[in-house]
Amino acid sequence: FLSADDRFMWTMDTFLNQQTGYFFEMNPSGLMADALMGPGGTNNREWDGIWNAKVTRSEIGWVIEIDIPFRSVAFDPNAPAWGINFQRTVRRKNEETVWTGHLRNQGLRRMSNAGLLVGLKDVTQGHGFEVRPYLAGYRAQSPGRKTASSDGSVDVGGEATYNITPSLRAVGTVNTDFAETDVDARRANLTRFALQYPEKRGFFLDGATFFDYYVPAFFSRRIGLDANGQPQRIIGGAKLTGQAGRFDLGGLYVSTGEDNGAPGEDFTVLRVRRRVLRQSFIGGIFTGRSTRDQTAVPTRTTAGVDFRLATSTFRGRQNLEASGFFSTTSVYGAKSGENDAFGGRVNYPNDLHDASFAFMQVGKNVSPAVGFINRWDYRRYQPKYMWNPRPRQSRFIRRFSFGADMDLYTDTRNRTQSRDFDVTAGRVELHSGDSAEFSVVPTYERLDADFTISPGVTLPAG
C-alpha cells in the first residue's frame, strides 16, 4: 500500500461489466502495486501482474510511463469500450483528485462511475498459451566416511495455461512446485481462535476472485497443506476461470498424494455467478473433499447460494447494497442437523451517513471441509452508524465524525459470547491530515470452556 506518499492510481474494467477490474498504483520512487477487484468490493492484493513502468522526477514534478501488455489481463475483445478511471494523491495537501466518479461516495474502485476507454480495435492476447516448467533436485555425497554414502532426488513438473476464449482461462498443473511462494508473515495468536493466513501460491491466486463467496466456504489453503500446516505433495490439478456471457465461472480439481502421514485426497470446487442489472449478481458454490480410502473419512461437501443487489443511484447519487447467503455442509457419524449457515447484510456506504447492519448464524455442526471458520454455534450481529458532517469553507477542519458500531456474538440460544462496542463520541479531521478522536470501547468475552493460555495457567469457563 502506497498511501503515505504521492501516488498515481488507475483502474480498468476490461469486460465493461461494472463489477470487476484491475487496480494499479505507483509512487514517485517507482514502487509498483496491483490487485484484482472482484464483485462486492473484494480486493486481491496477492495478484502479481506483469507490467512495466518508469518514473522521471524533475523540476516540474514527476512523470510515469506505463506499459501493460494485453496478454497480462483478461478482456473481451468484442466489448465496445473498457471502463477506466484515474486518481492522483498530493500528499502534502492531503488531496485526492479523481478523474470521474469524484463524489465522496463514489471513488476510483466503483467501476459503475468509471469513464470509458474507446478505440480499442484488433487487439489480442496472442495465442493465449503459456508453459511454466520447473526442474529441481539435489545430490549429496559423503565419500570420506567409513561407510561412503550418497543421496539425491530430481523433481520435474510445471503448469500450462491456455485461453479457451479471450475471457475463459484454463490452467493445468503436474507435480506442483511452490518454491517461489513467499513465506507467511509471523503472527502471535493470543486468542482462542485459529488465524487465517492469506493464499500466496501462484496456481491458486490465478483467477482467485472468481471463487469469492459471502463466507469462506472455499479457502484454497486447505489444499496442499496438512493439518499442521506442513506442505503436502500435489500430484496435479486443473482449473477453469473466466466469463461466458453474463456468467462468472470458476472450476477447480486438485489431487494430493500421501505425505507425512496425511492421506491422499481429491478436491473439487465449482462456483458460478450470474450478473444481473448493473452492479448485482446471484450465484452458487459447491465444494467436495474426499480421501481415497473412503472407509477412513467419507466425502465431505458444502453447497451454497448467495446474492448481491447494489445501486449507486439510490435517491439520486447514493449507494445502497444488500447481500446474503445460505450454505449447508454434510454431516456424518453421531452428529446430525444444525449444519446450515446463513446471513445477510444491508449497507448504506455514503459520506454524510454511513450505516450498515449484518447478521450471520452458523450451526454447531457446520464444517466446510475446503473452507475456513474458527467458531461454531453462534449468531453474529453487526450494526453500525456514522454521521460525518463537513464544515463549509473551514480553513482547518475537513470533517467531524460521530457514531457507533458493535460486533456481538451470541450462541444459538442467545447467550452473549463476545461483544465489542465502539462509540465515537467525537472525531475531527484536519485538512493537513492530522486527526483527534475521543472514543469509548467497552468489550466483553465469555468462555464456554477452559482456556489454557500457557502451561499451568488456565482461564476457567464462564
Side-chain angles (χ1 to χ4, degrees):
F1 296 94
L2 309 181
S3 57
D5 200 353
D6 281 25
R7 60 178 171 172
F8 184 74
M9 301 177 286
W10 66 101
T11 52
M12 299 190 307
D13 174 8
T14 56
F15 290 96
L16 200 62
N17 60 31
Q18 302 185 1
Q19 299 190 41
T20 61
Y22 295 88
F23 167 85
F24 303 88
E25 66 175 335
M26 287 190 69
N27 71 359
S29 298
L31 287 174
M32 307 159 68
D34 50 27
L36 289 175
M37 302 188 303
T42 59
N43 201 38
N44 187 344
R45 281 266 180 174
E46 300 299 332
W47 179 73
D48 187 15
I50 297 175
W51 52 287
N52 307 302
K54 184 177 181 180
V55 174
T56 299
R57 303 172 68 171
S58 67
E59 67 277 0
I60 67 169
W62 61 290
V63 178
I64 61 176
E65 183 178 356
I66 303 148
D67 165 26
I68 304 177
F70 282 108
R71 63 180 178 270
S72 293
V73 297
F75 61 89
D76 180 1
N78 299 316
W82 291 5
I84 197 165
N85 206 354
F86 310 95
Q87 181 171 332
R88 165 83 190 280
T89 299
V90 184
R91 183 53 62 209
R92 68 183 182 278
K93 298 180 180 179
N94 197 29
E95 175 183 302
E96 303 283 359
T97 305
V98 186
W99 179 53
T100 182
H102 60 276
L103 298 181
R104 292 187 176 97
N105 64 342
Q106 295 176 353
L108 180 73
R109 290 181 174 84
R110 192 171 288 274
M111 299 312 296
S112 58
N113 303 117
L116 295 178
L117 174 64
V118 299
L120 291 171
K121 298 179 180 179
D122 301 323
V123 296
T124 176
Q125 291 180 303
H127 296 292
F129 183 67
E130 177 184 346
V131 178
R132 298 181 61 194
Y134 81 88
L135 173 67
Y138 78 92
R139 182 73 176 174
Q141 289 183 301
S142 303
R145 293 189 174 185
K146 292 181 179 180
T147 302
S149 64
S150 64
D151 190 16
S153 71
V154 176
D155 277 333
V156 179
E159 298 176 11
T161 302
Y162 178 66
N163 292 337
I164 301 174
T165 70
S167 56
L168 202 58
R169 179 180 178 93
V171 184
T173 181
V174 176
N175 198 19
T176 313
D177 175 61
F178 299 117
E180 296 177 334
T181 304
D182 290 339
V183 176
D184 287 321
R186 182 172 294 179
R187 297 163 64 184
N189 186 6
L190 304 180
T191 74
R192 297 174 287 151
F193 309 110
L195 297 177
Q196 184 175 8
Y197 286 88
E199 179 61 82
K200 296 185 177 183
R201 299 172 293 177
F203 173 75
F204 294 106
L205 286 176
D206 192 333
T209 56
F210 289 98
F211 295 95
D212 288 340
Y213 187 67
Y214 191 95
V215 292
F218 170 55
F219 180 49
S220 58
R221 285 190 59 137
R222 293 293 191 202
I223 305 174
L225 294 173
D226 63 20
N228 298 316
Q230 297 302 310
Q232 185 176 0
R233 183 169 59 94
I234 292 182
I235 299 173
K239 180 162 63 171
L240 178 70
T241 58
Q243 299 182 340
R246 297 186 65 85
F247 288 91
D248 297 335
L249 305 174
L252 175 72
Y253 170 79
V254 174
S255 180
T256 62
E258 296 184 19
D259 208 353
N260 297 322
E265 296 181 289
D266 296 321
F267 297 83
T268 304
V269 183
L270 300 173
R271 174 71 163 128
V272 61
R273 285 191 297 258
R274 172 65 159 83
R275 297 188 303 278
V276 296
L277 306 175
R278 291 181 61 188
Q279 300 170 248
S280 308
F281 70 81
I282 55 175
I285 192 171
F286 172 83
T287 70
R289 181 175 185 174
S290 60
T291 59
R292 302 199 179 90
D293 181 9
Q294 286 287 301
T295 60
V297 181
T299 299
R300 292 156 288 171
T301 61
T302 299
V305 294
D306 64 338
F307 73 90
R308 178 177 183 259
L309 300 174
T311 178
S312 56
T313 58
F314 178 70
R315 297 179 59 191
R317 294 182 174 180
Q318 301 297 297
N319 301 313
L320 182 63
E321 305 168 0
S323 56
F325 81 99
F326 174 86
S327 65
T328 184
T329 62
S330 54
V331 176
Y332 298 97
K335 297 180 180 180
S336 63
E338 299 186 60
N339 58 330
D340 300 331
F342 58 88
R345 180 182 183 89
V346 178
N347 195 19
Y348 185 71
N350 296 285
D351 186 62
L352 181 60
H353 302 282
D354 183 2
S356 64
F357 180 80
F359 169 79
M360 182 165 61
Q361 177 171 315
V362 176
K364 67 179 180 180
N365 294 327
V366 170
S367 180
V370 199
F372 179 90
I373 58 174
N374 57 12
R375 60 197 299 172
W376 295 261
D377 189 27
Y378 73 86
R379 294 180 176 135
R380 187 181 187 184
Y381 305 85
Q382 293 176 285
K384 172 188 175 182
Y385 175 73
M386 294 297 296
W387 181 49
N388 306 296
R390 296 177 183 268
R392 294 189 176 185
Q393 300 180 343
S394 172
R395 292 181 57 191
F396 304 104
I397 298 176
R398 174 166 292 188
R399 183 171 72 166
F400 295 102
S401 294
F402 310 91
D405 66 86
M406 182 171 64
D407 194 2
L408 171 66
Y409 287 86
T410 73
D411 60 23
T412 51
R413 293 167 296 283
N414 293 318
R415 296 179 299 183
T416 299
Q417 293 182 333
S418 305
R419 182 181 63 235
D420 290 317
F421 193 42
D422 189 345
V423 181
T424 302
R427 174 182 171 87
V428 58
E429 300 177 21
L430 306 182
H431 290 305
S432 64
D434 299 313
S435 63
E437 176 179 340
F438 178 76
S439 59
V440 181
V441 189
T443 62
Y444 173 86
E445 190 78 23
R446 179 182 179 274
L447 300 182
D448 288 334
D450 292 349
F451 177 36
T452 300
I453 58 176
S454 65
V457 181
T458 299
L459 302 179

